[in-house]
Amino acid sequence: MLFERKSGLAELAKILTSDNEDLYEKLVKDLAETETSFRNWWSSMSVKYAWESADNGSWEIDFSDCNIYSNAGMIVLL
């Protein structure tokens, strides 16, 4: 849900201008809060499942099978 929200807000940011100052400020605030929540989710999941980081490593969610993959070949089932 956070990913979809973050993506939607990012798309809205592409078309919204600062001409509508109130809406623009709300978007910026919401985007920052959503980004923080998203990072916090990743952090809590990495602790819960003891994910290890690697140099130049990354983790990705495959929403079609709800698994988390690392570019090091590891798979985490949620």
Side-chain angles (χ1 to χ4, degrees):
M1 187 167 172
L2 283 173
F3 179 78
E4 290 88 359
R5 180 173 185 82
K6 181 180 161 190
S7 296
L9 290 170
E11 288 300 314
L12 182 58
K14 291 178 183 178
I15 61 171
L16 187 65
T17 65
S18 59
D19 294 340
N20 186 338
E21 190 173 327
D22 291 337
L23 186 57
Y24 184 77
E25 286 179 19
K26 182 176 179 181
L27 171 68
V28 169
K29 180 182 175 197
D30 199 3
L31 193 52
E33 289 172 357
T34 301
E35 181 65 37
T36 298
S37 295
F38 190 71
R39 272 188 261 121
N40 290 342
W41 180 86
W42 274 109
S43 294
S44 68
M45 292 296 106
S46 70
V47 169
K48 181 178 180 178
Y49 294 104
W51 296 343
E52 296 180 15
S53 61
D55 291 339
N56 298 317
S58 64
W59 295 90
E60 295 180 6
I61 302 171
D62 184 337
F63 291 102
S64 66
D65 63 10
C66 296
N67 288 325
I68 307 229
Y69 298 90
S70 82
N71 61 353
M74 298 174 63
I75 301 173
V76 177
L77 304 173
L78 295 182

